[in-house]
Amino acid sequence: MNKSKIILASIGGVTLVASLVLAYLIWSALADKSEKIGDLESAVATADKLSRLPVYPGPEAIKALKENAETYETWREDAVKIASAGDMTFEATTPPAFKAFLVDEARRLSSLPGAVEGRIVKDDFPFGFKDYITGGVLPAQDDLARLQREWHDVSTVIETLAKCGVSEIVDVVMASSAAPVQEEAPSGKKGKKAKKPVKTDEEESDKGPAVTSFIVNFRTRPIGLVNAINSFITSSRFIVVDDFSFVREKDDLAEALGGDGKKQQDAPARGRRGRRGRSAEEDVQQEEPAKDSGVVTDPMSASLLRVSMSFSVYDFRSLEGVAAGAAGQVEAQTEDKPEEKAEEKSEEAK
């Protein structure tokens, strides 16, 4: 093979390699271009879809969204203020003092007017706190804050029912406030189990409002039930009637239709006096003019209702921070008093 053929073969090889490289570069550029075109078309389609929505995604929409967020925050603050208007704080006490307080308060509530010999409850009514009012149990120190709130809520509902004309409070059933069962987890050693720590009331307070749940069974006329529901709706304390049911103690409609009289007529008459009495009643009925057959009932004179009403009273803890600050100030003042007394004594000695 001569020199000229070698040169031509080399040039041809280089040209072939250059052509392959150029072809690859062209193919890669076209692939990138088609991918970018696809991304561009997808972005254009998304923008067109967003532009057709009711709220156009632009500066005005962003401004409107921010204004709506501010309006919502303002409304939420006002709603929380209204809902927490009835929040309460209670002074620290001791178990014996609280037990005596419960007994006195139960005596006061028992004297409210009603249909049980002029009172609203029977003798020795426990108002849902049987262990502490009629029993010999002292409340635990850790439960005093919760018990103070629960008693305030129960007494508020009882006083409201009394003002609405309820005839009798039959029973008050508190929701179970027992601590949850402690789950046992196996420890490193065999035959022993470790108990999970129970969360205290302070840890639970961060989760949300404190709720007192209980059921009140009472007897009242229809007007008393209506007045009670209206009073709970307008109460400053956040009282929620979760559920209620009622039933009449007797059937007024059956009595108005003469159900009892029909039974007396169906009963056999005994002796001459019974026959004479029945004939006299028939003569009176014949003499009386025919009356309309319509039945009229008066809600004011209707029979009593037996009502079972479940409540949930909320405290949104809005005053807990204020109470904690006041308690801290009192403690600081009490700590400063001994020093002041010591200074006064030293001045008197001089």
Side-chain angles (χ1 to χ4, degrees):
M1 189 173 185
N2 54 15
K3 188 176 180 180
S4 59
K5 291 182 178 181
I6 294 172
I7 294 172
L8 291 175
S10 301
I11 293 172
V14 171
T15 304
L16 179 60
V17 171
S19 300
L20 292 175
V21 172
L22 182 62
Y24 172 77
L25 293 175
I26 294 173
W27 175 82
S28 178
L30 292 176
D32 293 342
K33 182 179 179 181
S34 61
E35 184 177 357
K36 292 181 179 178
I37 291 174
D39 294 340
L40 178 62
E41 292 177 352
S42 177
V44 171
T46 302
D48 183 67
K49 182 179 180 180
L50 293 175
S51 63
R52 297 178 185 275
L53 293 175
V55 179
Y56 183 78
E60 296 180 357
I62 296 174
K63 182 180 179 181
L65 289 174
K66 290 182 178 179
E67 292 177 354
N68 290 340
E70 294 176 357
T71 303
Y72 168 75
E73 289 296 331
T74 304
W75 170 85
R76 184 177 180 277
E77 292 177 359
D78 295 340
V80 170
K81 289 180 181 178
I82 295 173
S84 61
D87 286 359
M88 297 289 297
T89 55
F90 306 96
E91 296 180 358
T93 183
T94 60
F98 181 67
K99 181 178 176 63
F101 169 77
L102 284 181
V103 173
D104 294 339
E105 282 291 292
R107 189 179 297 111
R108 180 183 65 84
L109 293 180
S110 298
S111 63
L112 294 175
V116 184
E117 298 179 355
R119 297 179 301 168
I120 198 172
V121 295
K122 297 179 180 178
D123 295 335
D124 298 329
F125 193 79
F127 294 98
F129 291 76
K130 182 177 180 180
D131 293 339
Y132 310 124
I133 294 177
T134 60
V137 180
L138 277 178
Q141 183 68 37
D142 296 337
D143 296 337
L144 288 179
R146 174 179 58 81
L147 292 174
Q148 284 179 302
R149 171 176 51 82
E150 290 180 351
W151 174 255
H152 175 269
D153 295 337
V154 171
S155 61
T156 300
V157 170
I158 297 299
E159 290 176 351
T160 302
L161 292 174
K163 291 179 182 179
C164 295
V166 170
S167 301
E168 179 187 2
I169 304 296
V170 179
D171 192 14
V172 177
V173 181
M174 301 297 299
S176 177
S177 58
V181 179
Q182 298 179 359
E183 297 181 359
E184 297 182 350
S187 61
K189 297 180 180 180
K190 295 183 180 180
K192 294 184 178 180
K193 295 182 179 180
K195 295 182 178 180
K196 293 183 178 180
V198 180
K199 294 183 179 180
T200 60
D201 294 339
E202 296 179 356
E203 294 176 354
E204 294 290 341
S205 62
D206 298 334
K207 291 186 177 181
V211 184
T212 304
S213 300
F214 55 96
I215 300 174
V216 180
N217 299 321
F218 57 93
R219 299 168 63 241
T220 181
R221 296 196 181 277
I223 186 63
L225 177 59
V226 174
N227 291 338
I229 294 176
N230 291 333
S231 298
F232 293 137
I233 293 174
T234 57
S235 175
S236 59
R237 188 72 166 168
F238 199 87
I239 301 175
V240 178
V241 179
D242 296 324
D243 190 15
F244 75 94
S245 60
F246 62 89
V247 62
R248 292 189 180 276
E249 292 187 343
K250 60 181 180 179
D251 194 344
D252 296 334
L253 184 60
E255 292 184 0
L257 292 174
D260 295 341
K262 186 177 180 182
K263 292 180 180 178
Q264 293 177 2
Q265 291 178 4
D266 293 340
R270 296 181 180 180
R272 296 180 180 179
R273 185 175 297 177
R275 290 195 296 269
R276 290 178 181 177
R278 185 173 63 181
S279 62
E281 290 177 0
E282 292 176 354
D283 294 339
V284 172
Q285 290 178 359
Q286 291 177 359
E287 292 177 0
E288 290 181 354
K291 297 181 180 180
D292 296 336
S293 60
V295 178
V296 179
T297 58
D298 185 5
M300 299 300 295
S301 61
S303 62
L304 294 178
L305 302 175
R306 289 187 175 272
V307 184
S308 178
M309 188 173 292
S310 60
F311 297 90
S312 291
V313 185
Y314 289 78
D315 189 292
F316 295 91
R317 309 177 189 273
S318 61
L319 301 179
E320 287 188 354
V322 178
Q329 292 179 358
V330 172
E331 291 179 358
Q333 292 177 0
T334 54
E335 290 177 356
D336 294 340
K337 285 182 179 179
E339 297 177 357
E340 294 177 358
K341 291 182 178 179
E343 292 177 358
E344 291 177 358
K345 289 181 179 180
S346 61
E347 290 178 358
E348 291 177 357
K350 291 179 181 180

